[in-house]
Amino acid sequence: MNLRSKLAIAFAGVGAAAAILVGVFSYQAASQRISAELDRSLLTTSAEVAAGATQVLAPSPVTRGPDDDDHDEAQPMVAQAIAPDGTVRPVGGRPVRLAVGDEDRALAATGSFGDRRYQDFTVPPDDYRVITVALGGGRGALQLGIDVDESRNVLHGLAARITAVSALVLAAAALAGWLLARQITRRLVRLTQATEQVSDGRLADVAVPAGGRDEVGRLATSFDRMLGRLADARADQERLVQDAAHELRTPLTSLRTNASVLRRFAELAPGDRARLLDDVDGEARELTHLIDELVELATRRYETEEPAPVELGEIVERAAGRVRHRSGRAITVETDATALNGQAKALERAVSNLLENAVKFAPEGAIDVVVGDGRVQVLDRGPGIGDEDAARVFDRFHRADGARGLPGSGLGLAIVREIALAHDGGVFAEPRPGGGAVVGFTVGAELLLPDSHPRHVDG
């Protein structure tokens, strides 16, 4: 059974239950009201008859039909007196003899004025509601009955009407439930079809039903965003594989060439042997570095690190200390106490990549790092970045014309961009006034924690 049928049945069940409950309560209320009115009418009439107003029991003329019963009058009441000794005498109304029990005789013999009891019994073919009222003072009791067949016919008609209305309500609830279920599940059905298409491997041509602010609309919007990210991730993965295949081809070709030369290693002069081995070692290191960067970029290991409160200045200082030690370059760090909820290792990796990039492209001069308001800038005095390269410097494997002979995987700044995006930030590259370049990244303002004081560190 699908969801639409379940919802339709649920709506019908709720509507039927409500209709039945309302019908039962209505029937009970009507029955109790009629019974109370009958008892009140019996008590009032008995008081009138006891006072001598027997005309209330006189028959009224009616037009009889061929199917009428044997009664000669329309009067539905019958009255009889019970003497203190238990004898019964008719008073008026229908010529029907009401049964007198021991409790009725006790009321006639010893009952106080106004003591009464109600009872129901049948004198075929009619049912009666009977009241026995003690007259007190040795006067016996008065017994008065009223035919309740008409009242019961009214109740039976009411029950039939309630049943019919309940059936109509059930049908209407089922129809309304089916229509509502169809309206509710229409987008869910389309969303299910979209997920089935995705499970079959299709992403580009999947149409996701959007619109609406309810839970289904929000689900469709989230699913549409998820599909967009999946499609972008697949396209990004394909580009990464293609670019990696292209970049790996160069060092592998060089290694194959050197391997061919190594077959004649004994024929080479000692100087040529040393250069060949250095070349093989350098190519192997470059290939290892490239593979490490590819693995880092493809697996996004930094995304598994749990965010924690970190001070951006401390991260920059640690990265600058390592690069100083490795390169021997002067690196100046100026930072405020910007703190954020971030991934410390990933941010340190991003800063290290920026510094290593500056060391590689600016072989001389000091390198400055400025940190403030969630922005990290690395400034150098190198050849700078051209307008054409500024827009692509963070692309994977992109190399400017002047950098093609320099070592490197071409992935360092691409990793910086991925880490910045993971922290709701971005990257930038622009010329530095007076010559050089300014390259850096930002983090999202919502990740920042309250800062305290600026500081300045030289190295």
Side-chain angles (χ1 to χ4, degrees), residues 46-352:
S46 65
E48 294 177 356
V49 173
T54 57
Q55 68 272 13
V56 297
L57 301 174
S60 59
V62 295
T63 302
R64 298 180 60 204
D67 297 329
D68 288 344
D69 56 25
D70 294 333
H71 294 307
D72 295 329
E73 62 277 328
Q75 176 57 258
M77 304 185 81
V78 58
Q80 61 188 25
I82 305 174
D85 60 359
T87 59
V88 179
R89 176 178 59 85
V91 175
R94 285 183 179 180
V96 173
R97 188 69 175 263
L98 300 175
V100 178
D102 294 337
E103 294 182 6
D104 300 321
R105 290 186 175 92
L107 281 174
T110 61
S112 300
F113 178 78
D115 290 346
R116 59 186 179 272
R117 67 183 293 262
Y118 292 96
Q119 57 186 314
D120 296 308
F121 61 85
T122 301
V123 178
D126 300 317
D127 295 323
Y128 289 86
R129 178 70 169 171
V130 177
I131 184 174
T132 304
V133 182
L135 300 177
R139 293 185 297 165
L142 179 66
Q143 194 173 48
L144 185 67
I146 186 170
D147 189 344
V148 296
D149 287 342
E150 184 176 354
S151 299
R152 290 183 178 177
N153 289 336
V154 171
L155 289 176
H156 292 160
L158 178 62
R161 287 192 292 272
I162 289 176
T163 302
V165 171
S166 298
L168 291 176
V169 170
L170 174 60
L175 178 60
W178 186 84
L179 293 175
L180 287 174
R182 180 184 179 186
Q183 180 68 22
I184 292 172
T185 60
R186 181 168 54 188
R187 287 179 294 167
L188 286 176
V189 170
R190 294 170 57 191
L191 189 59
T192 302
Q193 294 173 349
T195 58
E196 291 173 348
Q197 293 177 359
V198 173
S199 64
D200 293 336
R202 290 180 289 173
L203 287 176
D205 57 344
V206 176
V208 178
R213 297 182 180 180
D214 56 4
E215 288 78 2
V216 178
R218 288 159 51 196
L219 175 63
T221 301
S222 299
F223 187 72
D224 190 37
R225 287 199 300 265
M226 182 188 71
L227 286 185
R229 295 186 65 177
L230 284 175
D232 293 341
R234 173 178 288 184
D236 198 33
Q237 185 181 44
E238 292 176 353
R239 286 194 301 271
L240 177 62
V241 171
Q242 294 172 357
D243 294 341
H246 175 75
E247 292 296 324
L248 287 171
R249 193 172 292 115
T250 299
L252 289 175
T253 301
S254 178
L255 284 174
R256 284 198 300 269
T257 302
N258 289 328
S260 299
V261 177
L262 283 174
R263 296 178 183 277
R264 297 182 291 106
F265 187 76
E267 302 175 7
L268 299 177
D272 294 334
R273 294 177 183 177
R275 284 192 298 272
L276 178 61
L277 292 176
D278 290 342
D279 191 23
V280 170
D281 183 62
E283 291 292 345
R285 283 197 303 270
E286 285 292 324
L287 185 59
T288 301
H289 182 63
L290 176 59
I291 292 174
D292 290 341
E293 297 282 12
L294 281 172
V295 171
E296 179 81 15
L297 196 60
T299 59
R300 297 186 176 184
R301 294 174 182 171
Y302 49 83
E303 291 186 354
T304 61
E305 183 183 358
E306 289 294 331
V310 295
E311 190 170 341
L312 196 54
E314 294 180 356
I315 292 174
V316 171
E317 289 168 8
R318 287 199 301 269
R322 283 201 307 273
V323 176
R324 287 192 201 103
H325 178 75
R326 187 163 54 244
S327 65
R329 298 288 298 277
I331 300 177
T332 300
V333 178
E334 182 179 346
T335 176
D336 61 7
T338 297
L340 71 151
N341 283 316
Q343 299 163 317
K345 293 181 180 179
L347 292 169
E348 190 170 339
R349 175 64 184 274
V351 176
S352 296

Side-chain angles (χ1 to χ4, degrees), residues 289 293 323 326 351-361:
H289 182 63
E293 297 282 12
V323 176
R326 187 163 54 244
V351 176
S352 296
N353 285 2
L354 290 175
L355 291 172
E356 289 173 358
N357 186 74
V359 169
K360 180 171 64 176
F361 285 97

